[in-house]
Amino acid sequence: MPPLTYIDAISRGMWEEMERDPSVFLIGEDIGAYGGAFKATKGFFEHFGPKRVIDSVLSESAIIGAATGAAVAGMRPIVEMQFADFVTSGFNQVVTNAAKIHYRWRIPVPMVIRLPTGGYIHGGPYHSASTEAWFAHVPGLKIVAPSNPADAKGLLKSAVRDNNPVLFYEFKYLYRRIKGEVPGTDVTVPIGKGEVRREGGDLTVLTYGSTVHFSLEAAEKLSKADGIETRVVDLRTLLPLDRDLITESVRATGKVLIVHEDTLTGGVGGEIAALIAEHAFQDLDAPVRRLGALDAPVPFAPTLEAAHLPDTEKIVQALRALALY
Amino acid sequence: MVITAHAAGKRASGGKLSNPDRLELYYYMRLARECDNAILRLYRQGKIVGGAYTGNGNEATAVGSAYALEKDDYLFPMHRDLGAQLVKGESLRNIFLQQLGRADSLTCGRDGTGHYADPSLRLYGNVSHLGAMIPMAVGVALAVKLRGEKAVVMNYIGDGGSNAGEFHEGLNMAAVMQLPFVLIIENNQFAYSTPVRMQYAAQKLSDRAAGYGIPGFTIDGTNVSLVFETCRKAVDRARRGEGPTLIESVTMRMHGHSASDDAAYVPAGMIDDWRKKDPIDRLEKILLADHVLDEESKKKMESDIAAGIDDAVARAVESGYPSGEDAGEGVYAP
Amino acid sequence: MARIEIIMPQMGESITEGTIVRWLKKVGDHVNKDEVLLEISTDKVDSEIPSPAAGTLVEIVTPENGTVPVRTVIAWLETAGAVAGAPLPAAEPLSPSAGPAPAPVPQGRRETPPPAAAGRFYSPLVLSIARTEGIPLTELEPIPGTGEGGRLTKKDLLAHVASRKSAPAAPSVAAAVSAAPGPVALQSVDVPALRAKYPAPAYEILQMSNVMQKMAQHMVQSVQTSPHVAAVHEADMTAVVKHRDENAAEFEKKEGFRLTFTPYIAEAVISAIKKYPLVNSSVEGDKIIRKNFINLGLAVASESGLIVPVIRNAEEKNFTGLARAVNDLALRTRAKKLVPEDIQGGTFTITNYGVFGTLLGMPIINQPQVAILGTGAIRKRPVVIDDAIAIRSIAYLTLAFDHRIIDGALGGMFLEEIVQNLQRRDREWKI
């Protein structure tokens, strides 16, 4: 199979799961004949028909609520939010219904909500937000955030097969920017397991999604320029976090930088830092450092957006400071 | 008991209420009210913790509507719809286990009151954000349609809940997709303490149906036969694939929002006026006049109901609370 | 005339490249403003691209069917007049690192580690490694740190652990006198009465070692016996440092061990005692016992605690002899080969806390002696000499003395004599 872009890997994953399981269907805005705002479902409507690919009314509450109900009734819906930002309009359905049903009723809610997320695309405050931290606080949800085509496909398949609501954060910045080999039809990537993308004995970066790539670039730069070797961990799943890999990575280097493109305050990085403080305190050789976006909406103008979001150079600087500690 | 035997067989064959049907409606309304009374007693005895939400005045709406459903239809009731839950087949034992938060309850004590689901009966209780139930119930109707099944989903909302955004969003989606969905607004004059005149400006809540391009009806919610007949029409329409119906069933909440609300905000005389239209008394008079019910069978029914409730309560009280160790269990499905 | 660029537009937030479907104009053709110039195709949408200005198409960079990243220049247009406004930017870099200039951050690693600092912070990891390796705080303190502000990093400590394990004992006087102590084997004990008051795991109950108990006894006894007074003088160690630097290599070749500062200080002290012998005394009742020999004690932090081995009859030794004696004690202390006489009968003690980075200390007299000299770390400092500022190697020397028999005058003069001995450039440190 030739290498696929990140978005094509997601499409391939959905296609395979729909072929495999007739209870899987898609619902979202403009996903039918139009193929979706990002064309993730291009060709699906023609192949699977209107009962499997549902163009819905413009109402995130109705879409997520209906998907929740369908899941309770035994279907396996995949919801597309046009942008992750818009999930706020369906927030109540996610946290009040989907997340709590199994705890209260012992009825599985097998559904996936796909959320095209993040900045670096000049989308401004309402097309660039990172919303994962709001949901990371909600028991009953799972959250995945793949950084490459293989994981995107493998995690999508795992999410579809999972019996819980899974929020699938897909990074718009990566959609057509990266390509990679993807595994075959039966290969899934387990939810809850991170992966070490680069080994290094001096520092550890814990990150996910778009910033995995910037972190890898930063690690290479630091290796060449300063001889500092950085381990880069791609968390892949944000809920539940891969606690074993996180503590093992703290042990491996003693110095940790957490990077995400979400804003800093209340971000997932804070939870990871707390987890390290609780479970790996004696392995720390430096305070846990975090690098996130400014505590502000994602701005529109390219200069402002670049200043707002983490990037390779900012990660290099943060790592250097950590190395010197 | 004859009533139960009837419930197992056909209800309202051909859309018409037979005498046994009417007797059964009467029985379920009585049963619902006596259960509510028992719940209030248990609450005042400190055996039910948290809150107690009952449905005195709502019996005809709850029982009459659910009576229009078939076994394979889905019911999404609210906290004042004990009658609907009983009609759908829920056992007294499960209802009291649930009210008492016991380990053996359908939610294992993780949620209270009517917030349970019983998938074996296709019965799914409410969440406290009542409007939030509507899109989800619509989603079940969507699944039914996608699978080509013939089932109908019946869902309830209050005069207050009808103002939540999800009422509009869910009902609009159901209308656009022509889903087998019936939404009943139980207009019982108050949303907690807020009277209807402060909740909406429409003449009737059923006027809203026009905005979704679906039929809407406003009916006397104390007349169980009328409730049944209206709902049966809506259910039949839904089953034919013609889409949803909105029914406003007007009645009165004959007490406070919960057992801890004295309803002092209800204008003087309003409760007394509505008591004259008590749904159970209304049907009882007719059944007595029609000789479908007599004093002897009424007494027998009353004592059977009391015995059934006493037994269920006793067995529920005996059942223990869940172990605190299990508080974190079941958040995720395996 | 102005030349303006035609770029591949970004047709959607996620779109990174576009393909030229058709050029509607040939090179040399005139095109009006907003007239369709070409058609493109992207993953999301196909589109006609209008010309940004009126002019002549002078160059097509990307031919039909060519695929290029968004914002790449695909053609050039020549216009009649000057172009209003700034030209569009060329292709953006892939990695969004544009933005305001980064705040200055220290680059790379420090070349020279700052010296160890006393009372410094240890990270949880450093402390847990120290615990696992059985390294007490006193041993951590002298290890130079390469981290921020001289912090001891994990790497520093692991390097120390490795050298501690692998390196054969280098015969260094400094190591002996300053000897980073090994693990003080403090055993956990369970004393029910104490355990009730200090429950585990919040508290640990440890048995004091014999050495520690003796130290405690001695120290308490000393401060109860002698009214301590301390005097601090500044010693310019530049001459000593210079002499040592110049002679270290030859000395090591000849003697087989490293030349340290200790014999310089010992020599200065012995010489000063000869001038002020009352300092070399002890007190019994109302009698002073003045000693006509000098048994010079050197305080050493050892594996089992504080030990003060003694150079007997130090007054008889020349500089090299002192150096050899110091080294001999160092080797035997480390090898635990000290005999009881080695640590008895001292008449005056030197303690060099400077190796721990301490600048200024207040030592406690080693009874029954009546004075003790503490030497602080040698640091380069700007000092005023003849109204000019010079860089000199400075150390603070503290003399703690027993005011029962030594008053401030004697203490000050004795200490100043030591300072002068160290500062005399013409002094013969005969090697």
Side-chain angles (χ1 to χ4, degrees), chain B residues 18 37 58 264 284:
Chain B
S18 65
N37 289 339
N58 198 54
E284 186 180 296

Side-chain angles (χ1 to χ4, degrees), chain A residues 37 176 202 282 284-285 317, chain C residues 43-44 102 123 128 154-155:
Chain A
R176 295 182 166 84
D202 298 318
Q282 300 205 343
L284 283 176
D285 198 30
Q317 288 174 28
Chain C
D43 282 349
K44 210 177 150 174
S123 71
S128 44
K154 173 189 78 172
K155 276 192 171 172

Side-chain angles (χ1 to χ4, degrees), chain C residues 103-125:
Chain C
V105 163
Q107 301 288 306
R109 306 187 144 178
R110 280 188 199 82
E111 292 308 315
T112 47
R120 62 183 168 179
F121 167 78
Y122 295 106
S123 71
L125 177 61

Side-chain angles (χ1 to χ4, degrees), chain B residues 22-35:
Chain B
R22 293 199 290 163
L23 197 55
E24 195 174 43
L25 288 171
Y26 176 74
Y27 164 76
Y28 278 116
M29 290 199 290
R30 292 297 305 247
L31 183 60
R33 182 163 295 177
E34 292 311 319
C35 282

Side-chain angles (χ1 to χ4, degrees), chain A residues 59 73 93 102-104 141 164, chain B residues 111 147 166 169 327 330 332-333:
Chain A
S59 164
Q93 290 299 324
H102 187 266
Y103 185 72
R104 299 164 59 238
L141 301 178
N164 296 280
Chain B
D111 203 347
R147 288 195 292 237
E166 284 150 316
E169 297 185 70
Y332 291 95

Side-chain angles (χ1 to χ4, degrees), chain A residues 33 66 124 172 195 250 253:
Chain A
K172 298 189 291 288
E195 186 129 298
V250 177
T253 64

Side-chain angles (χ1 to χ4, degrees), chain A residues 306-318:
Chain A
H308 175 87
L309 292 168
D311 61 24
T312 302
E313 195 46 45
K314 290 174 191 170
I315 296 169
V316 166
Q317 288 174 28

